[in-house]
Amino acid sequence: QGRARVRRRTGHIEPAHRLAADERITVRVAGIGPPLPDNIVTNHDHERTLDTTDEWIRDRAGIAERRTGGVTSELAARAGKAALADAGMAPDDIDLLILATCTPDQRFPATSATVQADLGLTCGALDVNAVCAGFTYAYITAYLMMTAPTGPERVLVCGTDTLTSITDWTDRNTAILFGDGSGAVVLERHEQGRLLGWDAGADGNLKPILFCDHDGFIQMEGREVFKKAVRAVVGSVEAALAQAGLTPADIDVLLPHQANIRIIEAVCQRLDVSMEITHNVLEHTGNTSSASIPLTMAAAADNGVLHPGSIVCMTGFGAGMAWASAVVEW
Ligand code: COA
């Protein structure tokens, strides 16, 4: 009892021992904050400086424009403030801040410490870096901490990245894909809302296909990342659903990391679910790394599809290679 058995291969926990915590404690998303940087860079802007075309970028990636500007702490604080307002909560209400980012302001302190001060929070703060899987990792971490009897009751989870600060704007392989963005959710203990299943994994052997050195730019083997991403996401979603005792047909709302529309299409095809259950922010944001899932969640909320009882599946993947999925009853 109490000690969960972790399966080595995928990192996920056997259903019978799912939570070494109080299963009666459940958690809901109480507020979402989606602000974006103001500056817009369109494909036509890229056409002026790169050997590329608007048509190629739309066709191969599904991106029309992306937002740029700001530092991570500033964008995270903006999203956090919006999420607090949406939840009707004050800074004092928050017991813990988790910031998912791979583009910290400084080596240290953790960027979340700056955000904590900027928002006037009085709680602890930590950064999570699982690159584009970061928000889902942070969400799972927050949830499992909150279900411990002595755990925090309200957690602010931010997903924020400023990838354009580490992108070589003369490299057409990467410059066309990435943008800056930020999203945040407030999680609170509540009888409505439950994490039904999750999966988190990594394969560090795949480091060479996507990495960024200190003081360097993003290096990527696009085609390899594409293939590995589809496989990782499908396997991860299936593992999280199996833990929940569900199948892909049960998903009402799919919130996939937004990197390339063709990756999302390939995932939907392999899971045999309709693209209709996904929400597209990619076209207007590009790949915003940790921000993409909370931004997609905000789009789903705006589209009026997040109802109590809805089965929502978020799934992220990125450099590492790292991936994570969470199946949530809304
Ligand atoms: N504009 C025009 N042509 C381009 C181009 C651009 N921006 N980038 C590459 N090309 C060219 C290539 O040079 C190649 O030309 P060639 O056939 O003469 O050699 C051709 O387009 C096809 O290149 P390829 O790399 O096979 O394209 P692709 O269909 O795989 O699309 C990516 C490239 C990067 C859009 C795609 O592989 C991708 O999205 N991969 C995943 C990246 C990702 O998600 N990273 C983040 C993970 S979190």
Side-chain angles (χ1 to χ4, degrees):
Q1 288 281 312
R3 255 185 104 79
R5 253 185 320 139
V6 178
R7 211 188 275 172
R8 269 197 180 281
R9 194 178 56 78
T10 63
H12 80 251
I13 292 178
E14 299 284 359
H17 307 270
R18 190 163 64 224
L19 300 177
D22 189 335
E23 294 222 30
R24 289 164 303 180
I25 298 173
T26 58
V27 171
R28 72 163 181 167
V29 174
I32 309 176
L36 282 166
D38 299 325
N39 187 48
I40 298 175
V41 176
T42 66
N43 291 347
H44 297 295
D45 294 325
H46 275 319
E47 278 177 343
R48 284 191 269 281
T49 53
L50 295 170
D51 179 16
T52 192
T53 61
D54 173 52
E55 191 189 2
W56 191 95
I57 302 169
R58 284 178 189 268
D59 185 48
R60 305 312 295 162
I63 298 167
E65 59 187 26
R66 66 289 290 149
R67 302 294 184 106
T68 66
V71 292
T72 295
S73 60
E74 177 206 324
L75 293 177
R78 277 173 61 187
K81 198 171 171 189
L84 282 173
D86 191 38
M89 287 185 200
D92 273 354
D93 294 327
I94 300 300
D95 302 319
L96 180 69
L97 166 66
I98 304 182
L99 169 64
T101 189
C102 66
T103 46
D105 290 3
Q106 296 163 280
R107 263 185 220 262
F108 65 80
T111 306
S112 53
T114 308
V115 178
Q116 185 247 27
D118 289 351
L119 286 174
L121 305 180
T122 50
C123 59
L126 75 146
D127 286 10
V128 165
N129 180 357
V131 199
C132 301
F135 179 82
T136 312
Y137 260 93
Y139 188 102
I140 294 164
T141 303
Y143 189 100
L144 295 182
M145 288 176 80
M146 293 172 82
T147 52
T150 56
E153 296 196 2
R154 287 162 171 169
V155 179
L156 178 62
V157 182
C158 299
T160 306
D161 269 306
T162 47
L163 286 184
T164 68
S165 66
I166 54 167
T167 302
D168 176 357
W169 286 78
T170 65
D171 174 14
R172 71 174 185 174
N173 292 312
T174 51
I176 54 131
L177 292 177
F178 301 114
D180 302 331
S182 183
V185 298
V186 175
L187 300 181
E188 73 167 343
R189 284 188 182 178
H190 196 274
E191 66 273 8
Q192 169 203 326
R194 184 180 285 273
L195 179 64
L196 300 174
W198 62 277
D199 175 68
D203 182 355
N205 293 313
L206 296 175
K207 187 169 95 172
I209 65 173
L210 185 56
F211 65 93
C212 182
D213 286 326
H214 285 302
D215 302 322
F217 291 124
I218 298 171
Q219 307 293 322
M220 183 180 77
E221 289 176 35
R223 230 178 286 184
E224 269 313 296
V225 172
F226 190 110
K227 281 191 273 179
K228 297 283 193 298
V230 173
R231 208 171 303 153
V233 169
V234 171
S236 182
V237 168
E238 285 176 345
L241 283 168
Q243 194 182 60
L246 299 174
T247 70
D250 295 310
I251 303 173
D252 296 311
V253 180
L254 182 64
L255 306 176
H257 171 48
Q258 310 263 314
N260 184 322
I261 194 69
R262 292 186 297 127
I263 293 178
I264 298 173
E265 285 167 354
V267 165
C268 285
Q269 194 184 23
R270 282 167 178 71
L271 291 174
D272 195 19
V273 298
S274 161
M275 279 289 282
E276 300 280 304
I277 65 169
T278 69
H279 295 265
N280 182 336
V281 298
L282 176 74
E283 186 181 358
H284 299 291
T285 64
N287 180 344
T288 57
S289 190
S290 300
S292 86
I293 289 179
L295 289 173
T296 310
M297 194 185 283
D302 284 348
N303 291 339
V305 297
L306 295 175
H307 307 294
S310 298
I311 300 298
V312 178
C313 176
M314 58 190 104
T315 179
F317 62 91
M321 212 167 185
W323 58 85
S325 302
V327 177
V328 173
E329 186 184 87
W330 199 257

